[in-house]
Amino acid sequence: MKKEQWGRLKQELLKSVGQNNYSTWIEPLELADVSEGIATFFVPTSFVGNYVSQNFGDLIRYHVNTIAPDVRRIGFRVKERVPETADEPRAGRAEKPQQATVGETQVPTAPLDDRFTFETFVVGKPNELAHAAAKRVSEGGPVTFNPLFLYGGVGLGKTHLMHAIAWDLRTRRSELNVVYLSAEQFMYRFVQALRDKKMMDFKEMFRSVDVLMVDDVQFIAGKDSTQEEFFHTFNALVDQNKQIVISGDRAPGEIANLEDRIKSRLQCGLVVDLHPTDYELRLGILQSKVDQYQQTYPGLKIDSGVLEFLAHRISTNVRVLEGALTRLFAFASLVGHEITLELTQDCLADVLRASERKINIEEIQRQVAEHYNIRLSDMIGPKRLRSFARPRQVAMYLCKQLTSRSLPEIGRRFGGRDHTTVMHGVKRIDDLRQQDGQIAEDLELLRRALEA
Ligand code: ADP
Ligand code: MG
C-alpha cells in the first residue's frame, strides 16, 4: 500500500464515519509502513491510537484489505517516540513477539492474535474435521499424524486454528518450544541467515523446535533455495518425532511450483480442508461475535433478522463477514441507534453489492439445470414443456432474488425473453413456494448451493 492509496482510502472512510469523526480521528492518521501483514500508522498521541484502534480498527482494516488483502493487523505508533503497538479493536493487545530461548540461539515466533483461540472458534459442518485435528494436536500427546496439513480458501480460519493450537500448547505444555510463523517469515529469516553467514545457527535453532507451525506454505512455491531449506528442516523435525502443522491455500498436490518431494512429504500426514462456510456456520459466527461484543458494550441492540440477513447475503468469507459486523457496530455506536435491517442495508451497501456479484446468472442457470437434470440449452431455449418451463422459472426467480440484475436483463439471458415473461415466472414461483413444499425445498437447496 502506498501513501496515495491510503489517501484515497481515507476518503472512503470519510463516507463511513462522517465528517466529525473523520476530522478528529481519521484525518491525523499517517501511513508509516506495511510489513509482515501489519499496516502501521503514525498517530499524534497514544490516546488517539487507542481510541482509533478500539473504534475504527476493523473498519480501517476492512478498507485497507480492499487494496492490500494480506494486511492482517493494524498498528499505531506515536510519531517520534518509542514504538507502541496498539492493535485492533476490542481485543486490543497484540502480543509482543516472543523470544523462545534455545541454547545460544533464539527462535522468534510470530505474534499470536489473542482473539484466535479455540473458545472463539465456531465449529460447524464445513470445519469440524479441521477443528478436531487441530484440537488433537493442541493436546500435545504423542504425535499421531505428521504433518497436519490444513488447507482452504482465504478467511476460512486456517490462521485462527493455528494460533489456537499455539495458545493451547503454551498453557498445557509450557515446556514445549512452540514456534508459529508464516512461510514468508521463514524465508525472510533464511535469507537473513544466509546473508549474515549464520546458516549453522539457523539450522540449529529450527531443529530444536518441538512444534513447528508454518502458515501459508504456498508462499515458498517457486522459491527454490527456501524450499530446499524448508524440506531439510521439515525432515529433521519429523525424524525427531516433532509435531509439524502447515497451512496452505490448496491441497499439497495442487500447489504449483512446489517440489514433488515436498508435496509428497506434506501428504504423508493428515490433510484436512476447511470447506467454504455454510449458512448455519455463518450465523453461528455472527452470533458469537455479537455475544463477545455485547460483553463489552451491553447497550448494543440488534433487531432480529439482521444476523440472518447477513448470513444469507455475505457468503464470501468469514473475514468479510466480521468486517461487516464491526463496521455495523462502529456505525451504530456512533449514531447511537439500534441496528435495524434498514441501517444494515445502508451501512453495508457496498459490501452487500460486492458479495452479490459472486452469484451470477450463468451460475444459477447451471445449478438449476443440474438440479432438475435438464440440459442448459433446454433451460434457455424456446421449449415450453413443463419439465423445462418450471426449472426455467425457478432459475428466473433465483436470479431475481440473488442478483441485482433487472428483469429485462434476466430475460435477455434466458434466450431473449421479454421482461414480462420473467415477471410472470418469478411471481409463479413465489406463489408456488407458499403452497408447494417440494418447490420450497428445491429453492432452499439451490440457494444454499449457490451461496456456498
Ligand atoms: P485464513 O487464515 O484461513 O485466511 P483466518 O484464520 O485469518 O483465515 O480467519 C479470518 C477471520 O475469520 C479471523 O478473524 C477469524 O477469527 C475468523 N474466523 C474464521 N473462521 C472462524 C470460525 N469458525 N469461528 C470464528 N471465527 C472465525
Ligand atoms: Mg491465514
Side-chain angles (χ1 to χ4, degrees), residues 116 120-122 127 154-160 285 318-319 322:
F116 292 179
T120 58
F121 191 82
V122 180
N127 60 21
V154 284
L156 297 180
K158 300 180 294 293
T159 300
H160 189 136
I285 292 173
V318 184
R319 201 169 293 149
E322 280 186 343

Side-chain angles (χ1 to χ4, degrees), residues 371-372 435-443 445:
H371 181 85
Y372 290 105
Q435 310 147 13
D436 183 338
Q438 184 59 51
I439 288 273
E441 195 176 306
D442 287 353
L443 288 173
L445 271 173

